[in-house]
Amino acid sequence: MEDCTYKGEAVLTETSVTDSHSCQELLETIGFAYHAVYFTYSSKSHTCTFYDSAEMDCASLSGPVLPKYDTCTGGASSTAAPTTAAPTTTAAPTTAAPTTAAPTTAAPTTAAPT
């Protein structure tokens, strides 16, 4: 996306981030503390900015030919839809039969001193 106006509030700006991957890792690590859900990174100023919303208005979009943009967004809107994780299921615990034999007592292996 290019030429975007971000509708969310900038909740954190860091000026010493080395690259966009580091900015993303920072968001994943501490973003929750700022209620941040989206980031931008400027490679010119090495500035990482967190936003509390992923909503934006963009003048243009760029990217690969496939997949088609509409298949990813469900329409032509540039407003990101919130995501929710699918519920996870936990397998029922299993109880296995004991695998160890009962302890045995062996006779002493050392002889009495003579």
Side-chain angles (χ1 to χ4, degrees):
M1 294 185 220
E2 298 176 23
D3 302 322
C4 296
T5 301
Y6 300 97
K7 293 184 171 190
E9 182 178 338
V11 293
L12 177 70
T13 300
E14 284 290 325
T15 57
S16 59
V17 179
T18 56
D19 56 35
S20 61
H21 296 289
S22 298
C23 184
Q24 183 174 11
E25 287 177 6
L26 192 61
L27 175 68
E28 292 171 354
T29 304
I30 65 168
F32 71 93
Y34 298 92
H35 303 284
V37 296
Y38 189 80
F39 77 94
T40 59
Y41 179 76
S42 169
S43 57
K44 285 184 179 182
S45 63
H46 299 284
T47 302
C48 176
T49 304
F50 292 175
Y51 293 90
D52 64 357
S53 170
E55 288 188 62
M56 65 190 83
D57 287 325
C58 299
S60 60
L61 301 173
S62 63
V65 175
L66 293 174
K68 296 281 188 195
Y69 180 76
D70 290 347
T71 62
C72 294
T73 64
S77 169
S78 64
T79 302
T83 59
T84 56
T88 58
T89 57
T90 304
T94 58
T95 304
T99 58
T100 56
T104 58
T105 304
T109 57
T110 56
T114 56

